[in-house]
Amino acid sequence: MVRLIITFLVLSHFPCFICHSQGQNLRVESSFQPPSITLSNNSVYKVIIHGSQENPQGSLPQVPGLIISNSPQTFRSASFRNGVPSVRLEISFQVKPKKMGKHTIPSWPVKIGSNTLQVPSSTIEVLAPNQQDKIRQNAEEKQKSELKEACFIEFTKPRSFLFEGETVSGSINLYIWDRLPVSRIERAPQKDGDAFSLTELGQPQEKRNQSKYNKSYTVFSWPIGLTAAIAGKHSITFNTSIRVRVKSRGNSPFASPFHNDPFFGFGREESLKVTSELQNITVKSLPVINRPKSFNGAIGSLSTRSTVDNDRVSLGDPVRFFFDIEGQGNFSAMPAPIFESNSDFKIGPPAFSFAGNELTKHQGKQRFEYILTPLNPGLLKIPVIHFSYFDPIQEKYFTLNSSEHPLRVDPGETWIDTTRGELEVEERSNSIPTADLFQTENEPGKWVHEIQKTILLNSSIFWAAQGIPFICVCGLIFYGRKRKRTGKDIFRQKQTSLKKQMKEAIEYKDSTLFYRATRERIRLEIGSFYKYGNPSSLSNNEISSLLKNGNNEESLISQIQEILHISDSHEFAENEEFSQSLDDQLKKINGLLKKIR
Amino acid sequence: MKLTIKLYCIFICAFILRSQCAGGQEDRLFYDAVRTEAAGDLDQAINLYLEASTLSHSANLHGNLANLYFKKEQYGHSILHFRKALLLNPRDTELSANLNFAYEMAKMPPPMQSFASNYFSANFLSFWIIICAIIFWTGLLILFYIFFFKTSKKTFLYFTICWVISCLLSCFAACLSLQQQSELYREVIVHFPQTENNHSKTIPLRRFAGESNSANTNILPGESLIIRLGNDGVSKSHQIANGKTWYLANSADGKKKGWIREDEFGWIIDPNS
């Protein structure tokens, strides 16, 4: 049920007619004009309201077999009939028949102001198409056909069936008749069919003067890669829209802009949708039987190759492992082969790179780059990659294995404790590169009968050698004891003590102490020299006689006597009148005592 | 008389010739082994080197032998002979580098080089003994000299204290070195027996001397063990019914201990040689 809402129109004119027409009776009429049409013609359904120009309100009933326009045209009129003012309102609906036969619009209510009236029923008779209608229909079909030939999309399917996940390459060709005034292509062709995925369309390749259907065309081609996504029978079409220039003249005998030359008149642009023919493609599921475990969805005709960037590294240094897949296949949907870490290698996720037709990604070389980090030193073998693919032509699975690459992993640098002289260790490790390890010596070198030398403690030479210092020590002890017995040591100790007293007296300027020590020293040294039994008991005269007996010079004797006299007078008479300094006295005494004979 | 002199000369010549021939036999075996190794027959080369090692030892012989064992991935034997080579030539940096690499290949850390192991090792034993003797005798001489020829008692006292401390320190160093020497004489390197194909890649240290009992712990080939001493001061061993001798051993850090069969290790310094 279509609800018809009639818009309100302002009745601003003819107010006097309205006033006078208040007395006129309200009346409603309805009819089809013409009441009988052929199937290819249209008719008008008219509702006429006499006595009012107010907008009516009501709902037009829906009739099967007729298409009634919902945008009616209204016409108001006023006139004097026999001196009596008369007003009326006409409402016209376009009607298009859908099928032959008699169609009746039943009576329906309409509200005008406060009054409700019944619109009477009306009947239209739809007849079979006549000869003129057929001619017109043929002409329209011909126009459509010509229009289709003027601009169309061509997509050829490579095979009648595809496998699920398979990618095929192709191209979408947009043919535009040279005489068609196309201003631009509004958008690239779009796929209509959810069971397929399409690679991105780039810039088209343009080819001019392509002949087809006895016409000259300009062809725009988009290379594509079409991948079947869902198994089953599916259809696919492509559509695009182009902008064409048309003339503004509306009374063309064919109502078609394409038989007129828009270049010689003022025209306008219109959008024209172009669609390819519907293609039905069967998408088969991949066979489950004999499917390898390593199959990951690669479909095509492929070959593999594996390489490494280095065959000798140090422990911890990464190695790049390249696995190349070359040929034709679904590279855009191809996952990386499984390459898992093991006890010898830590393997990271691969990097992808494709070399070939970047638009379709159907033909070329797909490279997977893995970074392998060796975990152990030694001669390792890089694990083998198992890569399986399905060949859609042979309809069989194939498995390819990568080469077994040997890899020499040197131990590399080890962490060096800085407290153990890192420089020394570094120099040593630098001096012996790993390449020089395990070289065979051609000469035996020095032969020995025992690996470990004899312990020194077990050596008789060692113990014999200990006799030398032992003898030295014994000799020293013997000599020391002998020396102690002769009294020389006591004399030396006393002499040293007196010399020390004299030096201290000079330091403290104690002349009394100095001369006392001097006198004692002279007695000790002269008495000991002449082997007198008790030197400390010698008097001054006894010292002089001893010196005379020794044939010493008179001057020496007199000088010693003088010193002894000074010493006595210093101690007993406390006579400190003495001109010479204590230092000079000490030197003089030392010199005199050395001269004693 | 002339006959006696002639016989004496003949005897001397024969003795010299014999000693020269005996001295040349290890050389011949060594060169044969080098040639065999160059020809690619590693097993035969190993046998020749081993035969030469029964006659005499040299750093190059044990180094080459260790290299061959390394190429055959018998890291226990390789480490054993590198250690022997280094005992004969401690200053050879190439041998040290090879030994460290062998340790890495055997999946073991190289032995920790501590201050004590560096300066009080068995190699320094002679040095410390000589130092000890020098300090003792020199100090004793100076002490007696001061006692007999110097009057200062203070000097005598101070010098005596210094001398005693120096003697104690040098004796301590010599004792440490002697202990290292003793351990070196009892040190063995674990390896797989030549005849056995061990798939477990470890060697068990058993709870008791015998095959049937369970392992206390397992050790890797190339690990170092110290044979324990019994109360009588000799290595603690036990001979079982099949004639095999078992030794009680512990690791250098003392954390692992147990009984090990005589063919599962190699002496660094063979006590029977």
Side-chain angles (χ1 to χ4, degrees):
Chain A
M1 186 82 180
V2 178
R3 289 186 66 85
L4 177 66
I5 300 169
I6 301 173
T7 56
F8 290 94
L9 300 172
V10 180
L11 300 174
S12 57
H13 302 291
F14 308 112
C16 57
F17 285 103
I18 296 167
C19 295
H20 285 93
S21 64
Q22 293 301 319
Q24 190 182 355
N25 290 332
L26 282 171
R27 184 162 55 89
V28 179
E29 292 175 359
S30 68
S31 62
F32 282 99
Q33 289 181 358
S36 177
I37 57 170
T38 58
L39 192 59
S40 58
N41 288 323
N42 293 345
S43 180
V44 175
Y45 175 61
K46 275 192 177 177
V47 177
I48 303 169
I49 301 167
H50 295 276
S52 175
Q53 288 188 331
E54 282 188 50
N55 285 329
Q57 292 180 350
S59 297
L60 188 65
Q62 189 83 14
V63 177
L66 292 178
I67 299 170
I68 302 171
S69 165
N70 55 5
S71 56
Q73 290 183 335
T74 56
F75 177 71
R76 290 180 175 82
S77 65
S79 61
F80 286 97
R81 287 185 180 176
N82 300 324
V84 179
S86 171
V87 292
R88 68 176 187 174
L89 174 66
E90 285 183 18
I91 303 168
S92 302
F93 297 89
Q94 287 283 332
V95 176
K96 186 176 182 180
K98 289 198 290 184
K99 61 182 180 181
M100 292 189 296
K102 284 188 176 180
H103 305 287
T104 302
I105 296 176
S107 175
W108 53 286
V110 65
K111 192 177 180 183
I112 302 161
S114 58
N115 301 318
T116 302
L117 300 174
Q118 282 290 329
V119 179
S121 61
S122 299
T123 302
I124 184 170
E125 188 178 8
V126 180
L127 304 171
N130 56 18
Q131 192 62 31
Q132 193 178 359
D133 291 337
K134 286 181 180 175
I135 292 167
R136 193 186 302 157
Q137 199 172 358
N138 289 338
E140 284 177 359
E141 283 178 3
K142 192 180 175 186
Q143 276 182 15
K144 281 182 183 175
S145 169
E146 284 181 350
L147 182 59
K148 200 174 177 182
E149 283 187 6
C151 185
F152 60 94
I153 290 175
E154 195 176 72
F155 167 70
T156 51
K157 55 183 179 184
R159 290 210 313 273
S160 59
F161 67 91
L162 296 175
F163 282 96
E164 191 178 359
E166 184 186 355
T167 300
V168 289
S169 65
S171 66
I172 302 168
N173 300 321
L174 173 64
Y175 286 78
I176 298 174
W177 185 26
D178 286 346
R179 293 185 61 190
L180 190 66
V182 177
S183 56
R184 69 177 189 276
I185 300 167
E186 285 186 322
R187 57 178 170 83
Q190 288 180 341
K191 169 183 66 72
D192 189 8
D194 295 334
F196 301 93
S197 64
L198 197 69
T199 54
E200 189 182 352
L201 298 180
Q203 288 296 318
Q205 296 172 355
E206 187 177 343
K207 292 177 187 172
R208 293 186 176 275
N209 302 323
Q210 300 293 308
S211 183
K212 199 163 189 177
Y213 306 128
N214 295 324
K215 291 186 177 72
S216 179
Y217 291 92
T218 299
V219 181
F220 295 90
S221 295
W222 286 269
I224 57 162
L226 185 72
T227 305
I230 304 168
K233 286 186 177 179
H234 302 287
S235 59
I236 183 170
T237 59
F238 295 93
N239 63 72
T240 185
S241 59
I242 56 174
R243 205 79 181 164
V244 294
R245 286 188 298 272
V246 295
K247 280 189 79 175
S248 298
R249 203 173 72 181
N251 55 354
S252 170
F254 300 107
S256 167
F258 307 115
H259 290 274
N260 301 314
D261 186 359
F263 293 101
F264 297 102
F266 296 99
R268 67 178 191 284
E269 284 192 341
E270 279 191 3
S271 180
L272 181 67
K273 189 175 180 183
V274 185
T275 309
S276 71
E277 285 186 0
L278 195 71
Q279 298 266 16
N280 290 315
I281 301 174
T282 303
V283 179
K284 292 182 179 179
S285 296
L286 291 169
V288 181
I289 301 165
N290 298 329
R291 180 182 291 185
K293 283 184 181 176
S294 57
F295 177 72
N296 272 338
I299 301 170
S301 179
L302 304 165
S303 62
T304 62
R305 184 169 172 265
S306 61
T307 50
V308 288
D309 69 337
N310 207 344
D311 60 354
R312 184 166 189 174
V313 293
S314 293
L315 186 64
D317 288 348
V319 181
R320 291 197 298 171
F321 177 82
F322 303 103
F323 188 72
D324 298 335
I325 302 170
E326 200 167 359
Q328 292 182 341
N330 54 346
F331 288 108
S332 59
M334 195 179 291
I338 295 168
F339 200 24
E340 290 182 341
S341 302
N342 57 18
S343 59
D344 285 336
F345 290 99
K346 182 184 175 187
I347 300 167
F352 293 70
S353 64
F354 181 78
N357 192 332
E358 288 286 345
L359 289 172
T360 62
K361 287 197 171 175
H362 176 253
Q363 187 168 16
K365 185 167 79 173
Q366 174 79 54
R367 167 166 280 197
F368 299 100
E369 181 183 332
Y370 296 87
I371 302 295
L372 279 68
T373 309
L375 301 175
N376 297 310
L379 188 62
L380 306 181
K381 286 178 181 174
I382 293 175
V384 174
I385 289 185
H386 304 287
F387 173 73
S388 297
Y389 68 96
F390 179 75
D391 192 328
I393 308 299
Q394 299 184 48
E395 299 190 9
K396 274 165 52 179
Y397 288 102
F398 294 93
T399 300
L400 302 172
N401 298 325
S402 65
S403 306
E404 197 176 58
H405 297 280
L407 181 69
R408 171 72 187 269
V409 181
D410 294 326
E413 297 289 333
T414 52
W415 182 80
I416 299 161
D417 188 358
T418 52
T419 58
R420 285 195 287 115
E422 57 183 4
L423 286 174
E424 186 188 345
V425 176
E426 194 176 333
E427 280 172 11
R428 193 171 58 188
S429 62
N430 288 339
S431 63
I432 303 292
T434 52
D436 296 336
L437 287 172
F438 308 118
Q439 294 185 50
T440 302
E441 292 289 347
N442 294 322
E443 294 296 329
K446 186 185 172 188
W447 290 106
V448 291
H449 287 289
E450 288 182 359
I451 288 179
Q452 185 69 357
K453 293 166 190 169
T454 312
I455 301 176
L456 200 60
L457 291 173
N458 298 335
S459 168
S460 54
I461 297 169
F462 172 75
W463 291 113
Q466 303 307 306
I468 299 166
F470 179 74
I471 291 166
C472 292
V473 169
C474 290
L476 188 68
I477 293 168
F478 177 76
Y479 179 67
R481 284 181 66 84
K482 189 181 173 186
R483 188 172 161 144
K484 282 222 169 193
R485 279 180 194 162
T486 56
K488 278 185 183 176
D489 206 42
I490 295 164
F491 163 75
R492 194 172 290 271
Q493 282 179 6
K494 283 183 179 175
Q495 187 190 31
T496 308
S497 173
L498 289 170
K499 279 182 182 175
K500 194 176 176 183
Q501 278 183 19
M502 287 170 80
K503 283 181 183 173
E504 282 177 359
I506 292 167
E507 191 177 345
Y508 297 113
K509 294 179 180 172
D510 187 352
S511 55
T512 309
L513 179 65
F514 177 82
Y515 282 108
R516 190 187 299 155
T518 303
R519 191 180 58 207
E520 287 298 320
R521 187 182 164 193
I522 290 169
R523 281 177 183 165
L524 178 70
E525 291 196 14
I526 292 171
S528 299
F529 189 80
Y530 293 107
K531 296 179 181 173
Y532 190 79
N534 188 8
S536 58
S537 64
L538 284 172
S539 64
N540 291 353
N541 292 332
E542 286 172 338
I543 291 169
S544 296
S545 62
L546 284 174
L547 290 170
K548 281 173 185 172
N549 291 337
N551 295 324
N552 287 294
E553 292 175 3
E554 279 299 322
S555 60
L556 174 72
I557 295 166
S558 63
Q559 282 180 11
I560 288 175
Q561 283 294 336
E562 187 188 354
I563 291 168
L564 288 170
H565 176 71
I566 292 167
S567 299
D568 288 342
S569 61
H570 220 89
E571 186 170 1
F572 301 113
E574 296 181 353
N575 184 9
E576 295 184 359
E577 290 176 3
F578 188 68
S579 59
Q580 211 168 8
S581 71
L582 295 179
D583 270 339
D584 296 338
Q585 276 297 93
L586 179 62
K587 287 175 186 170
K588 185 182 174 183
I589 291 162
N590 287 339
L592 289 172
L593 289 174
K594 283 180 183 173
K595 290 177 183 174
I596 295 171
R597 290 185 291 190
Chain B
M1 184 65 185
K2 281 184 179 177
L3 184 68
T4 310
I5 291 168
K6 278 181 184 174
L7 283 172
Y8 181 74
C9 290
I10 289 166
F11 175 75
I12 292 293
C13 289
F15 180 78
I16 291 166
L17 198 65
R18 185 187 170 280
S19 61
Q20 280 184 347
C21 286
Q25 195 176 354
E26 56 260 30
D27 279 338
R28 184 181 57 77
L29 286 167
F30 182 90
Y31 292 127
D32 284 350
V34 171
R35 277 193 293 274
T36 313
E37 183 188 345
D41 190 352
L42 301 188
D43 292 326
Q44 181 61 21
I46 286 173
N47 290 334
L48 288 168
Y49 279 129
L50 286 174
E51 196 180 341
S53 71
T54 57
L55 299 172
S56 196
H57 301 276
S58 82
N60 290 351
L61 178 137
H62 286 288
N64 285 0
L65 194 51
N67 288 348
L68 286 178
Y69 277 122
F70 184 88
K71 285 171 187 170
K72 288 179 69 63
E73 298 186 353
Q74 295 179 12
Y75 301 121
H77 287 282
S78 179
I79 289 169
L80 171 66
H81 287 282
F82 275 132
R83 289 288 305 274
K84 287 185 178 189
L86 274 171
L87 273 179
L88 292 164
N89 189 3
R91 291 189 183 85
D92 194 328
T93 53
E94 191 181 336
L95 287 173
S96 302
N98 288 358
L99 176 63
N100 286 333
F101 190 63
Y103 271 119
E104 286 190 36
M105 294 304 296
K107 296 183 174 57
M108 278 192 308
M112 290 293 290
Q113 295 292 317
S114 62
F115 179 79
S117 65
N118 275 335
Y119 295 103
F120 303 106
S121 66
N123 291 332
F124 279 83
L125 177 60
S126 300
F127 170 78
W128 286 119
I129 288 172
I130 289 168
I131 289 289
C132 196
I134 288 171
I135 289 175
F136 177 78
W137 289 119
T138 313
L140 200 64
L141 281 168
I142 295 170
L143 205 66
F144 279 117
Y145 175 76
I146 294 169
F147 180 76
F148 288 117
F149 300 101
K150 294 286 175 184
T151 54
S152 175
K153 288 183 180 174
K154 215 182 259 182
T155 311
F156 180 77
L157 182 68
Y158 288 150
F159 184 79
T160 308
I161 291 168
C162 291
W163 177 67
V164 169
I165 290 170
S166 303
C167 281
L168 288 175
L169 286 176
S170 58
C171 283
F172 178 70
C175 283
L176 279 179
S177 209
L178 195 62
Q179 191 182 351
Q180 297 271 333
Q181 173 86 4
S182 169
E183 286 190 356
L184 180 65
Y185 273 104
R186 291 181 287 120
E187 188 175 358
V188 295
I189 302 294
V190 177
H191 58 68
F192 289 123
Q194 294 280 10
T195 54
E196 194 174 317
N197 190 12
N198 192 329
H199 296 286
S200 65
K201 297 199 172 178
T202 57
I203 290 166
L205 286 180
R206 282 83 162 188
R207 295 178 198 278
F208 304 104
E211 297 285 355
S212 56
N213 64 85
S214 59
N216 244 352
T217 181
N218 288 294
I219 49 176
L220 289 167
E223 270 193 71
S224 169
L225 292 178
I226 309 292
I227 301 295
R228 282 195 179 183
L229 289 175
N231 292 330
D232 52 355
V234 294
S235 300
K236 198 165 187 178
S237 61
H238 179 70
Q239 194 168 25
I240 59 172
N242 62 1
K244 296 276 184 188
T245 306
W246 291 73
Y247 288 88
L248 182 62
N250 60 268
S251 58
D253 56 4
K255 289 179 181 172
K256 297 177 178 177
K257 62 178 179 181
W259 289 86
I260 187 164
R261 211 171 57 221
E262 60 182 343
D263 58 348
E264 290 176 335
F265 63 81
W267 295 90
I268 292 178
I269 299 167
D270 196 345
N272 301 320
S273 66

